[in-house]
Amino acid sequence: MPEPEPGDSGGALPGVRLTRQRTAVAEVLDRVDGFRSAQELHDLLRRSGEAVGLTTVYRHLQALVDAGQVDVLRVVDGEAIYRRCPTQDHHHHLVCRLCGRSVEIDGPEVEAWATRMAGEHGFVEISHSVEVFGTCSDCASSRS
Amino acid sequence: MPEPEPGDSGGALPGVRLTRQRTAVAEVLDRVDGFRSAQELHDLLRRSGEAVGLTTVYRHLQALVDAGQVDVLRVVDGEAIYRRCPTQDHHHHLVCRLCGRSVEIDGPEVEAWATRMAGEHGFVEISHSVEVFGTCSDCASSRS
DNA sequence: TAGCCTATTGAAAACGGTTGTCAAAACTGT
DNA sequence: ACAGTTTTGACAACCGTTTTCAATAGGCTA
């Protein structure tokens, strides 16, 4: 975890080096739309000729998640799937179970509901996970 | 997986045997309130003198989940936590991150919102995961 | 009650995703 | 080019969960 120098905010962090692998992971995330597992991204990189070690893929994904630049979700079996989202603001997802395609969705009423529920029951330090899974129109129509 | 006899529906399934272990898992779930991992439940059983193999704990939990009698959630690191809920109807949870205590919460507006979002984007076969995590009042106050 | 048939059990091994290890390779400022 | 870090990646470890399979034990029938 690179420690940010005080007074230096944003831009290229000191002590962070620009490597082929870091760039490759960032680019593959931009190229695909939809949530992908680390191993899928690793495969995509290999296939596109920009091979990157699986360990390194995990490392960069983790770093991007920590930096808030990538969203991570857990599918039912516990696997983590990642996506670079257009918006950095708090939002939720409508995710296709089959192809991973996803759209950001916004739910002011859900935020309000979660906050109200927490308050009513004396819970503090609230976080919520609100994700909607389904089958997107493309996948639904391309089914026998 | 026991194959149900045609013509016999409900009640004690044919081919399902009442064992000490099956009873013990059911009882520990009733005894604890709050979500617990399989390994925690396994520990609780051992400590209460009703030792049950870890494999068997997993098996019965799985069966109860399949039967809709137990709810299962995934915590951030991917671990599964289980709870027998008072209500069988569709509901969500407000879960304490520290002690696992949980209250069922209801969110008609969330259901409506999820359905509306899915419709607007052409997604079908919708399911959603909506869980709220926080720190319950007991855990918050018993903190140094 | 004895015996049979099948469901169940659980120790151990397999599994799959993820993380730690550590020596080698690669950046970047000088 | 050099030095001094950071980064890389093959490999092993980890951890929760599932599978395997021989041993055990319900529960029915005679």
Side-chain angles (χ1 to χ4, degrees):
Chain A
M1 197 183 305
E3 183 173 338
E5 215 77 49
D8 181 332
S9 62
L13 277 349
V16 173
R17 296 182 183 172
L18 216 61
T19 62
R20 179 182 66 77
Q21 291 90 337
R22 185 189 301 279
T23 308
V25 171
E27 282 186 350
V28 74
L29 279 168
D30 287 336
R31 212 158 53 231
V32 301
D33 74 324
F35 281 88
R36 294 293 144 85
S37 72
Q39 319 226 29
E40 282 173 327
L41 293 168
H42 175 249
D43 271 3
L44 286 171
L45 285 166
R46 171 180 309 229
R47 265 193 263 281
S48 70
E50 283 285 351
V52 175
L54 180 55
T55 308
T56 303
V57 174
Y58 274 110
R59 261 194 297 246
H60 285 305
L61 286 174
Q62 191 56 59
L64 289 165
V65 169
D66 290 346
Q69 295 181 21
V70 160
D71 285 4
V72 57
L73 254 57
R74 296 264 168 193
V75 288
V76 274
D77 66 346
E79 195 182 24
I81 53 179
Y82 303 84
R83 185 195 188 199
R84 170 116 77 181
C85 285
T87 61
Q88 294 256 124
D89 308 338
H90 177 79
H91 61 273
H92 303 290
H93 299 101
L94 179 55
V95 185
C96 177
R97 259 187 296 262
L98 298 182
C99 71
R101 205 181 91 186
S102 125
V103 305
E104 280 95 273
I105 52 181
D106 206 2
E109 62 253 65
V110 178
E111 316 297 327
W113 168 81
T115 306
R116 179 162 46 82
M117 286 295 147
E120 282 178 10
H121 293 93
F123 279 59
V124 295
E125 297 162 355
I126 291 305
S127 68
H128 57 260
S129 96
V130 174
E131 311 300 339
V132 185
F133 291 89
T135 308
C136 76
S137 48
D138 288 358
C139 288
S141 64
S142 75
R143 216 154 31 181
S144 58
Chain B
M1 196 184 304
E3 183 172 337
E5 214 78 49
D8 182 330
S9 61
L13 276 348
V16 172
R17 296 181 182 172
L18 214 62
T19 62
R20 180 182 66 78
Q21 290 89 337
R22 185 188 302 282
T23 308
V25 170
E27 282 185 348
V28 74
L29 279 168
D30 287 336
R31 214 159 50 232
V32 300
D33 74 325
F35 281 88
R36 294 292 144 86
S37 71
Q39 319 226 27
E40 283 173 327
L41 293 168
H42 174 249
D43 271 2
L44 287 171
L45 285 166
R46 170 181 309 228
R47 265 192 263 281
S48 70
E50 282 286 351
V52 174
L54 180 56
T55 309
T56 303
V57 174
Y58 274 110
R59 263 194 296 245
H60 284 305
L61 287 174
Q62 190 57 59
L64 290 165
V65 170
D66 290 347
Q69 296 181 21
V70 160
D71 286 4
V72 57
L73 254 57
R74 295 261 169 196
V75 287
V76 274
D77 67 347
E79 195 182 24
I81 53 178
Y82 303 84
R83 186 195 188 199
R84 170 117 76 182
C85 285
T87 61
Q88 294 256 122
D89 307 338
H90 177 79
H91 61 273
H92 303 290
H93 298 100
L94 178 55
V95 185
C96 177
R97 259 187 296 262
L98 297 182
C99 72
R101 205 181 90 187
S102 126
V103 304
E104 280 96 274
I105 53 181
D106 206 2
E109 64 252 66
V110 177
E111 316 297 326
W113 168 82
T115 306
R116 178 163 46 83
M117 286 296 147
E120 283 177 11
H121 293 93
F123 279 59
V124 295
E125 296 162 357
I126 291 305
S127 68
H128 57 260
S129 95
V130 175
E131 311 299 340
V132 185
F133 291 89
T135 308
C136 77
S137 48
D138 288 357
C139 288
S141 63
S142 75
R143 217 155 30 184
S144 59

